[in-house]
Amino acid sequence: MKKSLLYICLVILACSAGCNDKDFLNVAPTNVLQNDQLWNDEGLILSVLADLYDRYPDRQTDVNNSPIPSMVVQTIDNWGEFARFDEAFASENGQYWRHGASDYPYVFPGMIVKGGAEVTYWDYAYIRELNIFIAKCGTSVKLKQEVKDRFIAEARYLRAVVYFEEVKRVGGVPLVLQPMEYDYKGDAAYLQHARAKESEIYDFVISEMDTVKKYLPSSPISKTRATVGLALATKARAALYAGSIAKHGVTTPQVSLPGGEVGIPLAKANEYYTIALNAAKELISSGSYSLYKKNADNLTQNFISLFIDKGANPEVIFAKDFKLQSGRVQPWTLWSQPRSNAEEQQGGRLNPSLNLVQSFELLDNTFAPLNINAAGGGYVYYSDPLDLFANRDPRLAATVMLPGSDFKDKKLDIWAGYIRKNGDIVTGDNFGAKAKLEPGGPDVQVVGYDGPVNNLEFSAQSGFIVRKYMDPTVGSGRIGTQSEVWWIRYRYAEVLLNAAEAAFELAQPDVAAVI
Amino acid sequence: MKKRLRIPDIIRVARPCLHIAVWLIFFALSAHAAPTDITITGKVTDEQGAALPGVTVSVKGTSKGTSTNGNGVYSIAVADKNAVLVFSFVGYVKQEITIGDQKEVNVKLLTDSKGLGEVIVVGYGTQKKESVTGAISGVTSKDLERVHASTVSATLAGKIPGVSFRMPDGRPGASANIQIRNFGNALYVIDGIQKDAGQFNNISPNDIESITVLKDASAAIYGVRAANGVVVVTTKRGKPGSGNAINVDAYTGWQNWSRFPKTVNAYEWMLGKADAEMNAEDPRTDITKAELEKWKAGTEKGYQSFDWYDFIIKKNAPQHSINVNATGGSENINYYLSVTRLDQKSVLGREFDFNRTNIQSNVDAKVAKRLKVGVQINGRIEERDNPGVPGGDDYWAPRFALFRNRPTERPYANDNPLYPNDIGHNTENWAVQTKAISGYWTEDWRVLQTNFNGTYETPVKGLTLKGMYSYYYADKLMNGHEYTYDTYTYHPENDTYVRTGGSSNPWRERGTHKVLENVLQGQINYNNTFGRHTIGGTFVSERIKRRELDVWVHAVPKSNVLPLIQFSDMDTYNDADWTEARVGYIGRFNYSFSDKYFLEVAGRYDGSWKFAPDKRWGFFPSVSAGWRLTEEPFFKRWLGSNSILTELKLRGSYGELGDDDIGIGAYDYLPGYTYGTSTVILDGTVIRGSRDKGVPNNRLSWFVSKIADIGLDYQLWNGKVYGSLDFFNRKRSGLRGRKYDVLVPSEIGYGLPDENVNSDAQKGGEFSAAYTTQVGKVNFVVGGNVSYSRSRFLESYKPIWGNSLDHYRNSIEDRWNNIYWGYEAIGQFQSQEEINKYPVNVDGKGNKTLLPGDIIYKDMNGDNVIDDQDQRPIGYQTTGNPTVNFGFNLGVRWNGFDFAADFSGGSMYSYNQNWEMRWPFQNGGNLLKQFYDDRWHREDPFDVNSKWIPGKNPPLRFNKGDHSNYNKPSTFWLHNVHYVRLRTMELGYAIPQQILDKVRFKKARIYINTYNLFSLDNVKDLGIEPEIADENGLQYPQNKLVNIGVNLTF
């Protein structure tokens, strides 16, 4: 009996050891930062800000046909969107649907259109988080004032950019500058904000740039965070948009609303152009940036390097950056590397169109299609495929991999087959396929190892492969390595062009010419 | 308003004291003296007169008991001559004998094919079968032993009424999807501890004594994770006083794919391609008749067909298993020690393997008169080992190759095995998928579960205390290394092999995962009979804490040679660590009167770490009752004395079960930021981003699942026929949904959180019957079961419809769930004239892409164009378990021979043909033979004006998925599947005792056994296995398995 008692005691002890259920069930999370831990720690606030930077809207198209909302963005980590229009085709099974799309509605959230609701860029979730950041960062007591000012200025910069992207698409939008929360009381009227005028949103963007400029670093060294240069470039771009809408909107009076939510009065055009020109001039005169001329003797190479050279690149104002072995790399080269020297069993996806190629001017400033057919019937013969593209704007060869050009020190193998004297075509349906040119003759290669083969994925189906942003580094085409080439969002060259355009619109062609 | 005190409140108030108080009560209790004893001895045998070891012999109404030794002999002391001895043994009919003046009682036990014998495992205990009031079914080792599948779930097909079954994937070590009444993922309880499906599947089937499923309110006792039913597993124990025995079960088997779609040879492929190209809108082909002749002859180099199926799929992949266990017991100690080794190769060559070693050690010891302690140790090493193949699933590329690779492609350049050929898509070139070329991938699980328990039988009659502590440790080690390799092109002109492709993506990954789990259980049981009243009570407290750690690292190694991961090569290190904590208090009360009326009331008060502190606790009550009509005198009178109905029990139950798996994260109630949501490069520095978690969701809590079940158990002809019938309805309310009536502007920037507003139901029933008889020396058992369970959405919160089409097409209100929408194919065009005259625009292009044989869709809305609006419901879900499941089994024994066959089947689910299974030459790859053999085609493929020859399938097109034949789901491609298959068949022969005695074997039996030998179904023509779900037909199908094996007992 004594023994039994002992056992009972043991059991009771064991059972009651953890008897406090409340403590037992309180398990601390391992990846959640509580507000009080976060807002007084500069490193952690930067972590929040970094995530906000990460959602910068790189949206050039906004067609929401993609089943995955995050896939609708035309950037370096999303090649397929570049095949939406007629600049390029997609060479991958399952992506051919992109061709021939012609209808790109810009629709407000909640509107229903045929084929399902398609929503334009309308990212109030992002705005809400920016607003929270601006509010919470302001309350931080331990942060140094200049650090706090810079953080808030950066968040305000990003918020202005979101409004700029929204106003571009749908005109005036509700301007929400405080985080909102519903109180579940059944009446949501207090959360409603009317659409602002289109001009008001542009004015907001412009004035925010003026404000944040005061707190941002003026040095051009940072290419990945907001700087004075970026604020000015953005201001110039936004003002130019506003000015153009004001000036040219008169030709489409149906695209306007009486309350000014859509459309900007013509009277404001000059004001905006002036703002744009001045902002651009301010940036130009700062001398912080200049055009990229590291390979001035080879303009094709210069234009290639402009996009992939991350070392003290004087032309880049703002970019989305990547870094090898950080978990933040991009697959642009993996996706479109020429199949014949690909580092994986894939590549060749983005095929620029003939239309794009022929839209590069000849060196004499004229436009012409590729010279293929001889005047008296028959063909023009070239000894080197590259000769077909000779004497064109050097940017062509820097934008498009032409048949016969090199990538990673290997010549591309793009050719479609043989034409027999009788006009018959001998070709194959696979990379480097073989066939007999004459009955009984030997099997010879009749199509390039990069294609083109119709309908064969990864082959250069248009005869071209994209070159811009392609990374010549070994490993850039491997799934496990990929590339750290950045994606440039603002370039000094654009500022010059914007200045020129604004000056031209302000009837100052002499100023435009000088720039 | 007066505040009503609800039950949970009472418990909450009482909880802190309750724990200790109940234990303390028993300090006050004292022992009482035992009377003088008479010793009874005897021998227990089976119908054939063979000794039965391990039979439990107990004295009725007391806790006294022993078991027979290896020779079937027992000895037990009883108080007086009125004592009644009860002889029970799993699988045999219980016998009760009043001693009277006998000193020796010899008993012959009769086989009981009812399955569970006299007791059945219920939540936290066992119950006599006749007193069970819930919908509970089960199987024992007897039923499982003849299924030689690698995982436990795969052994259950058709065995248990109400358990639905589907095994879409049959790769080595794969598990079946089993669900209780199609409720969703069940909770598994193994030897009293809550576990997951992975742990359930990988215990050795040899070590399982019984599996019970709790299908209704009887599951509520497991609380917040029990809403989808509970599977309770008990492992084998030694029988006290049974002597020692060593058992061996060993088999070796040969596996083959049960079915896989066939593809064409090179000649057929080329002809098909020519056919397809001439069927294009712009008919033109480069293929010539002369070329086709060469392919047909297949003699000239370069014109030979290659059979990838024969190259990749190896016949008769071996599977072996051996289980050795030692079991037995003396008066005070009983044990079961077992080790099982399973080796399973796959048909994909011999490098894709699964193997597992299990140990089970169950020892119980009576350390003091009233105290028993026990330990159960369950451990295993589970290994998956195969070549490392680029892509997520290493089993994918070899199967994909079967459809992707053309028969005109060859694995080796110039057929030289030293040079893998560059076929342009080399991931599918089987020649490189070896550990030597492509690399390796292994995943090992090492798992140890240890339960320690103590049972103290208090001096108060019927009152026992039980404590259990369980520690679980699981460790995963995954290593993958994909090598770089080269593929070649042969140049005959100069006899050289040039590297033209391959992989230059070295990939090295390592994943580790650890699970640490502690469970503490205290239990008080009380069971006593007062005259005709029997009462029972159980109180349990349970605490579960589970921590999981996961690390995954990735590197780009510099070489294929060394396995160590270097820091400088790494680019990813993912780290995770999370902990779950749960507490439960369980109470159950049973009352029965005169073995006629039964009542059970139970409840569980459960807390989960997942919810906000003020929403953590939930109370889950259940009640059930049973009434044995056949014990009622009036009913007996009404039936008359010669009635065939000998037992009829009505049962009813109702319970509320909880489900904390509502799709929200554990900390959604907390505000704050999630760390590590992104990786951002700012000024060249890598920064891990943090993102706002969003508005805390504190409006959602568990949903409640209410199950009502009404059923009956019956026996006819004194148990020759028996079975049960059940109907149930589960209503779940408080499912996640959104309130739409307050329109909040989207500029608020977040969606209002879901609330507990939706509801659904799962309805169905099941029936089982078995018949057992003996004709001369032949024992005969036949049984079957059928179950039906379908889910229905009830209502959401104030749904809004734009128009009636929107309502028709998108509403789910009060409709069956998982409806498959598509087009109705009403035939195929018979001629070009018919196409030309056809009024409806079928292809969306004015029918200009159509040919004779193309599919005609029904224009449901009569607007003369086929578009989205012409869809209607055409089938059931394609991925879930069948709505109707059934099983049928047959067993015959004669002298030493035994034969058993188990059939199982399913119905009311769909298979959708898509991708390779729908459009010919998908991906430009191979062509399915069925599309070639029976197709609409022209008499002369090269002459567009020649006569059309009809077939079952539309005319071929080359990789044209956007054609109207292929670009929409329709009744042409969707099949509502029915199947019944011979799941297992076994023929065994037990060597006669006279021979065995000479070699000192107690038992020896040899058997031949099959698994999935054949299937009768309606998808045979498609070449697919009836249980696969993948639309492309490329799933690894179940194996057809033939084994030979032995059972030995020393």
Side-chain angles (χ1 to χ4, degrees), chain A residues 5 7 18 21 26-27 30-31 33 47 51 93 122 182 222 224 323 325 339 343-345 429 478 480, chain B residues 27 371 424 426 502 504-505 543 568 577 585 616 667 673 675 677-678 683-684 688 690-691 746 750 923:
Chain A
L5 262 168
Y7 292 128
D21 291 340
N26 271 340
V27 180
T30 54
N31 66 342
L33 293 165
S47 157
D51 192 77
N93 287 333
W122 192 264
Y182 175 52
S222 178
T224 45
K323 189 170 176 158
Q325 290 192 308
R339 187 63 181 75
E343 292 174 289
E344 291 287 344
Q345 303 296 307
D429 65 354
R478 295 179 189 162
Chain B
F27 278 105
L371 186 67
N426 295 317
S504 51
N505 171 37
R543 286 158 176 271
S568 58
D577 180 353
Y585 294 93
R616 274 192 182 142
Y667 298 103
Y673 281 72
Y675 188 71
T677 48
S678 50
D683 293 342
R688 291 289 279 161
S690 296
R691 185 172 293 194
S746 70
Y750 67 95
N923 262 331

Side-chain angles (χ1 to χ4, degrees), chain B residues 218-231:
Chain B
S218 55
I221 199 149
Y222 286 105
V224 78
R225 289 191 282 178
N228 298 328
V230 179
V231 177

Side-chain angles (χ1 to χ4, degrees), chain A residues 1 4-5 7-9 11-12 14-16 18-22 24-35 38-39 44 46-48 50-51 53-55 93 109 122 124-125 128-129 132 150 174 176 180-182 184 186 188 191-193 222-225 321-323 325-328 339-340 342-345 427 429-430 434 436 449 457 478-481, chain B residues 15 19-20 23 27 29 273 371 406 409 424-427 456 489-492 501-507 520 522 543-545 554 556 568-571 577 579 581-583 585 607-609 616-617 667 670-675 677-684 686-693 695 699 742-750 752-753 755 923 959:
Chain A
M1 190 65 203
S4 313
L5 262 168
Y7 292 128
I8 294 173
C9 288
V11 170
I12 290 166
C15 277
S16 39
C19 223
N20 188 333
D21 291 340
K22 205 174 163 191
F24 188 80
L25 293 174
N26 271 340
V27 180
T30 54
N31 66 342
V32 177
L33 293 165
Q34 318 250 0
N35 282 321
L38 197 156
W39 291 107
L44 292 178
L46 182 63
S47 157
V48 175
D51 192 77
Y53 266 114
D54 195 39
R55 286 187 275 168
N93 287 333
W122 192 264
Y124 278 90
R128 174 187 159 79
E129 286 185 44
I132 291 175
R150 183 180 175 193
V176 178
M180 297 191 288
E181 209 160 306
Y182 175 52
Y184 296 102
L191 301 168
Q192 293 166 355
H193 289 64
S222 178
K223 310 288 190 190
T224 45
R225 291 175 69 174
D321 204 3
F322 300 88
K323 189 170 176 158
Q325 290 192 308
S326 71
R328 184 66 164 168
R339 187 63 181 75
S340 64
E343 292 174 289
E344 291 287 344
Q345 303 296 307
T427 183
D429 65 354
N430 215 336
K434 293 178 179 179
K436 296 181 189 349
Y449 276 96
E457 67 174 352
R478 295 179 189 162
I479 294 170
T481 310
Chain B
R15 190 164 11 95
H19 228 314
I20 298 167
W23 293 99
F27 278 105
L29 306 170
K273 186 171 186 236
L371 186 67
R406 302 172 176 184
E409 291 168 339
H425 47 99
N426 295 317
T427 305
Y456 177 68
T489 301
Y490 178 65
H491 291 278
S503 166
S504 51
N505 171 37
W507 173 284
L520 197 61
R543 286 158 176 271
I544 304 170
K545 194 159 239 175
H554 174 257
V556 181
S568 58
D569 296 337
M570 269 170 59
D571 62 3
D577 180 353
T579 302
R582 291 184 168 88
V583 177
Y585 294 93
S608 163
W609 94 108
R616 274 192 182 142
W617 291 89
Y667 298 103
L670 277 181
Y673 281 72
T674 308
Y675 188 71
T677 48
S678 50
T679 304
V680 188
I681 315 299
L682 290 185
D683 293 342
V686 184
I687 296 174
R688 291 289 279 161
S690 296
R691 185 172 293 194
D692 182 31
K693 285 180 79 256
V695 177
R699 299 178 69 81
V742 176
L743 201 60
V744 177
S746 70
E747 295 83 59
I748 191 172
Y750 67 95
L752 289 188
E755 301 187 40
N923 262 331
N959 192 15

